[in-house]
Amino acid sequence: AQSVTQLGSHVSVSEGALVLLRCNYSSSVPPYLFWYVQYPNQGLQLLLKYTTGATLVKGINGFEAEFKKSETSFHLTKPSAHMSDAAEYFCAVSGWGYQKVTFGTGTKLQVIP
Amino acid sequence: GAGVSQSPSNKVTEKGKDVELRCDPISGHTALYWYRQRLGQGLEFLIYFQGNSAPDKSGLPSDRFSAERTGESVSTLTIQRTQQEDSAVYLCASSLLSGGHADTQYFGPGTRLTVL
């Protein structure tokens, strides 16, 4: 079985501040981990993903995430928030042999000017 | 190239009616996924197709829900005898599925279903 927990359904940060969105997963096989973003009135798009290899992955728009197996975490960070980062962010997990991708419940990021 | 398209974009129906939702994946994408997103909630996996085969249908919420796919092309999600709790945005995504589920999913804009 696999599951994803996103801590905090809403996160607010000031413009220019660090963005940290938390994701913990459970998987019985080596996981594939994803962050997707849904901007207002737009469809979901991939921010970044981890499958194998380097545990620090970089995505679009300055975001990055680090796979920490010992902590079963895949937190999303960005050093300096921009107003255009306001969106809903979804963490997701899958793995070889699974028949689906499991998404978390999402975290809405608000950026305060 | 063209992305994933879904139709209709909005559907309002009366309780008890049947509805059919359509998804056109990106050409060449083997995998196709259906999700449901209720207001204020995350994505709920419904079903995935590998080609025209659905290895696992356990995500479908009830026997009122069914889905089909023609080859590696169009998919339809049918909801029979709709209920108010079926109101949601139904999202479709496709991917290459070249390595398990490691491939990026490309999402369509969704169909917003409202059951009165």
Side-chain angles (χ1 to χ4, degrees):
Chain A
Q2 55 187 148
S3 65
V4 173
T5 301
Q6 291 185 241
L7 293 176
S9 58
H10 290 80
V11 171
S12 293
V13 299
S14 298
E15 190 175 15
L18 171 71
V19 175
L20 171 61
L21 304 182
R22 298 179 187 275
C23 172
N24 288 88
Y25 71 90
S26 170
S27 177
S28 57
V29 300
Y32 304 142
L33 295 159
F34 310 82
W35 277 100
Y36 284 85
V37 60
Q38 188 172 31
Y39 295 105
N41 300 314
Q42 295 187 30
L44 279 92
Q45 58 182 284
L46 183 73
L47 260 184
L48 50 80
K49 67 178 179 182
Y50 167 82
T51 53
T52 59
T55 56
L56 181 64
V57 292
K58 297 184 184 297
I60 61 172
N61 300 334
F63 284 92
E64 62 182 36
E66 187 171 10
F67 168 57
K68 291 187 176 180
K69 183 179 178 181
S70 61
E71 298 177 9
T72 60
S73 69
F74 191 58
H75 302 330
L76 182 70
T77 60
K78 182 175 180 177
S80 176
H82 193 273
M83 295 299 294
S84 60
D85 295 328
E88 189 160 19
Y89 294 79
F90 293 91
C91 183
V93 64
S94 186
W96 186 263
Y98 282 129
Q99 299 298 345
K100 65 180 182 180
V101 178
T102 299
F103 281 77
T105 52
T107 297
K108 284 189 177 176
L109 176 66
Q110 180 186 24
V111 182
I112 303 166
Chain B
V4 178
S5 61
Q6 293 185 246
S7 61
S9 55
N10 276 285
K11 176 71 176 178
V12 179
T13 190
E14 294 180 348
K15 178 181 173 181
K17 302 278 190 182
D18 297 352
V19 296
E20 190 173 276
L21 312 180
R22 177 186 169 111
C23 173
D24 281 271
I26 293 172
S27 178
H29 278 191
T30 305
L32 186 147
Y33 304 78
W34 283 100
Y35 296 92
R36 179 168 69 179
Q37 187 176 26
R38 288 185 165 133
L39 187 64
Q41 299 185 23
L43 275 70
E44 176 186 357
F45 170 82
L46 298 179
I47 192 170
Y48 116 86
F49 287 92
Q50 183 173 342
N52 62 4
S53 171
D56 183 356
K57 299 182 179 180
S58 63
L60 294 175
S62 75
D63 59 7
R64 296 187 294 105
F65 287 71
S66 62
E68 292 183 344
R69 187 179 185 195
T70 306
E72 294 189 357
S73 185
V74 172
S75 175
T76 55
L77 177 69
T78 301
I79 309 173
Q80 295 179 309
R81 306 180 304 280
T82 52
Q83 303 294 312
Q84 288 182 333
E85 63 261 29
D86 299 334
S87 296
V89 176
Y90 289 82
L91 293 169
C92 174
S94 70
S95 74
L96 285 169
L97 199 68
S98 58
H101 293 285
D103 296 289
T104 299
Q105 292 185 56
Y106 295 85
F107 283 82
T111 293
R112 183 175 298 278
L113 175 65
T114 303
V115 182
L116 301 176

